[in-house]
Amino acid sequence: MRKKIVAANWKMNLTLIEGAELVNDLFKGMPQLNENNLVVIAPPYTHLTQTSAQLAGMADVHLGAQNCHSETAGAYTGEISAAMLKSAEVEYVIVGHSERREYFKEDDATVAKKVNQALVNGMKVIFCCGEPLEVRDAGTQNAYVESQVRAGLFHLGDRQMNDITIAYEPIWAIGTGRTATSQQAQDMHAHIRQVLAANYGAEVANDTAILYGGSCKPSNAAELFACPDVDGGLIGGAALKASEFLGIITAMAAAVEA
Ligand code: PGA
């Protein structure tokens, strides 16, 4: 059975001290989670070692990174390899975030190579996909997202899909305060699951968690997470405040029990 996951993407925010305080506050307020709940925190690279040490006492909270490089090692000044992340106790790597695709010109082929790097190094992947506003307005979002999923993941075998979580993040909803309606999220998640089923069969499709991302907050998390194909969230802005992130985690825990 697939898990419910809430993942924090801190992006390029928080100093080391601020990050330590935030994790401390999360630790104090963390609700009781069952074995089907999972929390991931993906801080900036500079925080990984510190956050890893802090998370040692929190069994349900796992360390993530926001990116990795597509090559194994070498002369790539300023970059971080998947092997380095693994050696820093990272368990999850966010790959293909729309901000990476847009600002750092990551194309589908690069994203697919990053997926491979993370998997080969024994980590799990949170694979991001999602359409820009003009695609949503044109009504072609299903084909757009499907093509991202195919290009980024469909070279993988069934077993490797065990280590993949998908995050659907409509670009027009990221950091804008404009959330997709729960119906829009459900429709896309069901479409992604059906695309997975057509390629990998029902078991892989049913076992793959599909998270929603884009202005998810405590006030809308419960409704989103109640959708049958929405298995949690990838959270940006609301993950930077302990009270808000805890509110979203609580919504996940309640959704599993429902
Ligand atoms: P947001 O970001 O929650 O601030 O909209 C989500 C994301 O980009 O992962």
Side-chain angles (χ1 to χ4, degrees), residues 85-218:
L85 297 178
K86 179 69 178 174
S87 72
E89 317 281 345
V90 167
E91 292 177 73
Y92 288 81
V93 186
I94 299 171
V95 174
H97 192 282
S98 61
E99 288 152 16
R100 302 278 336 159
R101 292 178 191 259
E102 183 180 351
Y103 304 137
F104 301 95
K105 308 289 171 246
E106 288 186 11
D107 58 13
D108 284 333
T110 305
V111 170
K113 283 170 86 175
K114 291 184 175 207
V115 167
N116 294 346
Q117 285 291 339
L119 295 180
V120 162
N121 283 282
M123 294 177 288
K124 296 177 192 294
V125 169
I126 299 177
F127 174 85
C128 300
C129 54
E131 79 285 359
L133 186 57
E134 59 271 22
V135 169
R136 171 64 61 168
D137 286 343
T140 52
Q141 66 273 7
N142 281 10
Y144 186 96
V145 169
E146 177 171 342
S147 109
Q148 288 180 319
V149 170
R150 284 183 181 282
L153 297 178
F154 277 16
H155 59 287
L156 301 176
D158 289 25
R159 293 242 324 269
Q160 291 173 301
M161 287 301 288
N162 280 334
D163 291 326
I164 302 292
T165 294
I166 295 175
Y168 168 58
E169 301 201 304
I171 296 171
W172 44 272
I174 295 178
T176 58
R178 181 179 161 187
T179 322
T181 64
S182 52
Q183 191 60 52
Q184 286 171 320
Q186 169 56 27
D187 288 350
M188 181 59 81
H189 286 222
H191 176 62
I192 294 170
R193 206 176 300 288
Q194 182 240 310
V195 168
L196 292 177
N199 195 67
Y200 289 105
E203 196 178 329
V204 168
N206 285 332
D207 287 351
T208 304
I210 306 177
L211 316 184
Y212 169 79
S215 299
C216 184
K217 38 191 185 273

